């Protein structure tokens, strides 16, 4: 599969990677330049998933009913959940806001390559049978509109809460993202598996509904998640379109039974790695807080003055060995710096890190501050029970999305006009055809190169290269997606 970018760099030779560890594969495939590794990784994961159970029907005729039954079941379970919450039950997933933010980090490797598995089908843009799958990919990319591009939405959500540092997550958190990136580079050889994976991924899960509800309660913008609730609907959304894509690509002359067998194999890939509920359950407030402070200690072990001592030792001395952090926290509590089980505002330690005039202002990210705030407020004994009781009584707040709607309603008619290109050819070449490269204006360079293409095929090839998982969320990728969507029709 050919990819075209504004600037081509020779790929560095790399040793052959194994397929047991997901993170190295994820990092390599994110560069979109190792198709042999992608194929090997998919073969290994397909073999791993072969023994997993699956409720996907064997017959194409039964799949519409299967989707309808699944949707009804999820809807019924969600109604039960809402009734339980109304009756006073605590949140099912997130005992604290820190746990919710941890979840955002824990699933970041997957969310930041959202839709990647479908990238390979763009090369078939002139084949009507691939239109449903291509439409799904374009919608994952927001059709080039920045605030609709799923990856950009998630990147902004992570940045808003200081959750950008997710690269040190356990290896299994990278499995699903690695699978998606591998499929992105393997559409020609693994098309049935890609279609099956897509069919499974686009079904509405119960955890998506509950996650959206509870994030909103905690004041975290749930838009990324609610967007998937709407676009994946079984009536007109991606769940329906995924089935239409399967129907259109099913062999009429070839071995349809074998094709469906491979579709089912791809469907099972969805169950590998760490799922949403597993990621949520893996959170441990004490462990995560200690680990965060231990990581901070590597930088702060020489940054504190000697006038402040805790249990007779300087802060630098305590921070010299990360293994001392749990004991250091105990001593801070014993000397009254931390008052566990009370609001964080009652602790002198909290006042050192929170507030514009705090001595350690800026040292801790919003996520790290939330960890400390929840850790301080949680009693040392019976922590989980206390946290659950706190969650029950926590007031519901407006989501960030709701607040934005209110602001937009006050500012209707004041939004700037879109800068999207009006057509394929907009700018004339300057006298020096390399001038755009000299001044580094990528968008104008892209428009100029599009204007120079000799055919629609050549233009589409240029655009497809910029719509790859590692580029589509950039300014050039967003513009390429807008132009592609317009030309594609």
């Amino acid at each position: 599969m050919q990819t075209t970018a504004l600037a081509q760099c020779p790929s560095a030779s790399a040793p052959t990677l194994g397929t047991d560890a997901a993170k190295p594969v994820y990092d390599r495939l994110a560069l979109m330049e190792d198709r042999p590794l992608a194929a090997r990784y998919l073969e290994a994961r397909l073999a791993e998933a072969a023994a997993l159970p699956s409720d996907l029907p064997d017959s194409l005729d039964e799949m519409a009913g299967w989707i309808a039954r699944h949707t009804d079941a999820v809807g019924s379970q969600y109604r039960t959940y809402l009734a339980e919450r109304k009756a006073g039950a605590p949140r099912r997933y997130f005992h604290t806001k820190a746990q919710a933010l941890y979840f955002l980090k824990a699933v970041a490797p997957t969310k930041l390559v959202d839709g990647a598995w479908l990238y390979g089908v763009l090369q078939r843009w002139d084949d009507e049978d691939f239109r449903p799958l291509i439409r799904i990919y374009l919608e994952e990319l927001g059709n080039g509109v920045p605030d609709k591009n799923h990856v950009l939405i998630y990147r902004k959500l992570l940045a808003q809460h200081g959750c950008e540092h997710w690269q040190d997550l356990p290896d299994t958190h990278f499995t699903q993202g690695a699978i998606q990136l591998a499929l992105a580079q393997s559409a020609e050889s693994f098309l049935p598996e890609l279609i099956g994976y897509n069919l499974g991924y686009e079904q509405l899960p119960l955890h998506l509904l509950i996650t959206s509800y509870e994030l909103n309660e905690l004041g975290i913008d749930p838009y990324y998640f609610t967007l998937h609730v709407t676009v994946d609907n079984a009536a007109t959304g991606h769940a329906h379109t995924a089935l239409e894509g399967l129907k259109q690509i099913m062999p009429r002359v070839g071995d349809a039974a074998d094709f469906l067998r491979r579709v089912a194999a791809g469907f099972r890939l969805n169950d590998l790695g760490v799922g949403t509920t597993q990621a949520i359950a893996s959170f441990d407030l004490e462990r995560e807080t200690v680990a965060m402070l231990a990581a901070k200690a590597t930088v702060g072990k020489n940054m504190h003055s000697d006038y402040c001592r805790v249990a007779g030792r300087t802060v630098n001395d305590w921070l010299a060995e990360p293994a001392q952090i749990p004991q250091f926290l105990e001593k801070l509590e014993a000397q009254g710096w931390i008052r566990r089980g009370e609001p964080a505002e009652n602790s002198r330690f909290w006042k050192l890190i929170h507030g514009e005039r705090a001595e350690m202002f800026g040292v801790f990210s919003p996520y790290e501050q939330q960890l400390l705030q929840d850790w301080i407020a949680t009693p040392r004994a019976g922590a989980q029970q206390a946290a659950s009781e706190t969650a029950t009584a926590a007031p519901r707040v407006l989501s960030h999305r709701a607040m934005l709607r209110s602001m937009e309603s006050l500012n209707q008619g004041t939004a700037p006009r879109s800068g999207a290109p009006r057509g394929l050819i907009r700018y004339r070449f300057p006298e020096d055809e390399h001038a755009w490269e000299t001044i580094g204006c990528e968008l104008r360079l892209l428009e100029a190169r599009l204007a120079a293409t000799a055919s629609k095929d050549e233009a589409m090839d240029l655009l497809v290269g910029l719509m790859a998982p590692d580029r589509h969320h950039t300014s050039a990728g967003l513009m390429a997606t807008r132009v592609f969507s317009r030309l594609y029709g």
Side-chain angles (χ1 to χ4, degrees):
M1 175 170 39
Q2 181 182 0
T3 57
T4 307
L6 292 181
Q8 296 287 347
C9 298
S11 59
S13 59
T16 301
L17 291 177
T19 57
D20 292 332
K23 187 179 186 303
V25 173
Y26 180 96
D27 291 340
R28 179 66 180 171
L29 295 184
L31 302 175
M32 296 300 293
E33 58 182 24
D34 198 334
R35 294 179 66 183
L37 174 61
R40 293 197 308 273
Y41 189 75
L42 283 177
E43 292 285 6
R45 299 291 74 76
L46 287 165
E48 180 184 355
L52 297 177
S54 169
D55 63 347
L56 185 70
D58 296 329
S59 168
L60 186 61
D61 294 336
E62 299 175 33
M63 289 189 184
W66 168 77
I67 293 175
R69 290 191 298 274
H70 169 81
T71 302
D72 287 345
V74 168
S76 177
Q77 292 168 337
Y78 187 54
R79 287 194 300 273
T80 299
Y81 165 82
L82 293 176
E84 291 172 352
R85 294 300 311 282
K86 187 175 182 180
R91 288 187 294 271
R92 182 178 298 183
Y93 288 165
F94 305 126
H95 297 303
T96 63
K97 185 172 182 177
Q99 185 177 16
L101 297 181
Y102 171 85
F103 159 70
L104 297 183
K105 285 180 53 177
V107 296
T110 304
K111 305 305 183 186
L112 292 176
V113 294
D114 197 2
W117 65 92
L118 286 169
Y119 170 65
V121 303
L122 286 185
Q123 294 289 347
R124 306 293 291 271
W125 60 267
D126 57 347
D127 187 334
E128 281 297 312
D129 287 341
F130 283 80
R131 182 169 287 271
L133 298 181
I134 291 175
R135 291 310 316 174
I136 293 177
Y137 187 66
L138 292 176
E139 289 176 13
E140 296 285 345
L141 274 54
N143 287 296
V145 178
D147 61 1
K148 297 295 182 184
N149 180 285
H150 294 188
V151 171
L152 267 184
I153 294 170
Y154 206 79
R155 286 165 66 98
K156 291 177 181 178
L157 183 62
L158 292 176
Q160 180 183 359
H161 297 284
C163 297
E164 306 101 313
H165 304 294
W166 47 268
Q167 293 80 4
D168 293 331
L169 287 166
D171 188 78
T172 52
H173 288 249
F174 292 85
T175 300
Q176 277 296 310
I179 289 172
Q180 294 181 15
L181 290 169
L183 287 169
Q185 300 179 59
S186 306
E188 295 177 5
S189 301
F190 293 87
L191 180 60
E193 290 82 4
L194 183 156
I195 292 173
Y197 182 85
N198 182 66
L199 185 63
Y201 202 89
E202 299 296 358
Q203 302 308 312
L204 178 64
L206 176 64
H207 63 70
L208 187 61
L209 294 164
I210 296 177
T211 297
S212 302
Y213 188 90
E214 296 190 1
L215 289 174
N216 185 62
E217 281 188 306
L218 290 164
I220 300 171
D221 183 9
Y223 178 57
Y224 174 88
F225 300 92
T226 56
L227 177 63
H228 284 76
V229 172
T230 56
V231 301
D232 291 346
N233 76 83
T236 59
H238 290 181
H240 168 78
T241 309
L243 179 57
E244 291 303 305
L246 170 58
K247 289 178 178 178
Q248 290 191 203
I249 300 175
M250 270 286 292
R252 274 74 172 179
V253 178
D255 190 340
D258 183 63
F259 190 91
L260 280 178
R261 178 190 61 76
R262 294 179 61 185
V263 166
F267 179 86
R268 291 187 181 91
L269 290 175
N270 283 280
D271 293 328
L272 297 179
V274 174
T276 292
T277 54
Q278 291 172 295
I280 294 169
S282 68
F283 176 77
D284 182 283
L285 181 59
E286 183 81 18
R287 183 184 64 218
E288 185 73 5
T289 302
V290 170
M292 180 271 292
L293 291 172
K296 289 289 183 185
T298 62
V299 177
K301 60 186 178 183
N302 297 315
M303 301 296 179
H304 296 79
S305 301
D306 289 344
Y307 69 84
C308 180
R309 293 176 178 266
V310 177
R313 299 169 60 184
T314 67
V315 174
N316 286 339
D317 188 21
W318 280 111
L319 299 182
E321 294 293 335
Q324 298 181 144
I325 295 299
Q327 186 182 4
F328 179 46
L329 292 174
E330 290 178 5
K331 297 301 182 182
L332 285 173
E333 186 176 354
Q335 292 189 197
W337 282 91
I338 295 175
R339 301 171 67 90
R340 292 293 300 273
E342 298 183 21
E345 292 76 11
N346 295 349
S347 294
R348 285 189 291 166
F349 179 73
W350 175 254
K351 295 174 182 177
L352 292 174
I353 67 174
H354 185 73
E356 291 185 2
R357 298 188 63 82
E359 285 85 342
M360 290 192 288
F361 173 77
V363 172
F364 295 89
S365 72
Y367 169 63
E368 292 164 345
Q369 290 189 41
Q370 191 64 55
L371 268 179
L372 287 168
Q373 185 177 13
D374 290 341
W375 178 80
I376 292 171
T378 302
R380 187 174 293 279
Q384 287 300 323
Q385 179 180 355
S388 296
E389 292 170 356
T390 301
T392 304
R396 179 168 181 168
V397 298
L398 279 177
S399 72
H400 182 62
R401 185 184 181 194
M403 288 187 286
L404 283 179
R405 284 175 172 170
S406 298
M407 293 173 61
E408 288 171 358
S409 66
L410 296 174
N411 295 295
Q412 285 183 346
T414 63
R417 296 181 62 183
S418 170
R422 296 193 181 101
L424 180 59
I425 302 175
R426 187 178 178 187
Y427 290 102
R428 297 177 59 188
F429 276 110
E431 292 183 8
D432 176 3
E433 65 180 19
H434 299 292
W436 299 129
E437 298 178 71
T438 303
I439 63 176
C441 187
E442 279 206 321
L443 295 186
R444 291 189 176 183
L445 174 60
L446 173 57
E447 290 181 309
R449 289 191 174 178
L450 283 170
T453 55
S455 65
K456 183 176 180 179
D457 287 355
E458 187 179 342
M460 294 297 258
D461 186 59
L462 172 62
L463 297 170
V464 167
L466 289 167
M467 295 165 66
D470 62 331
R471 302 184 186 106
H472 68 73
H473 52 278
T474 66
S475 58
L478 291 165
M479 177 178 169
T481 305
R482 293 195 296 269
V483 176
F484 183 98
S485 299
R486 187 171 294 112
L487 294 177
Y488 189 58

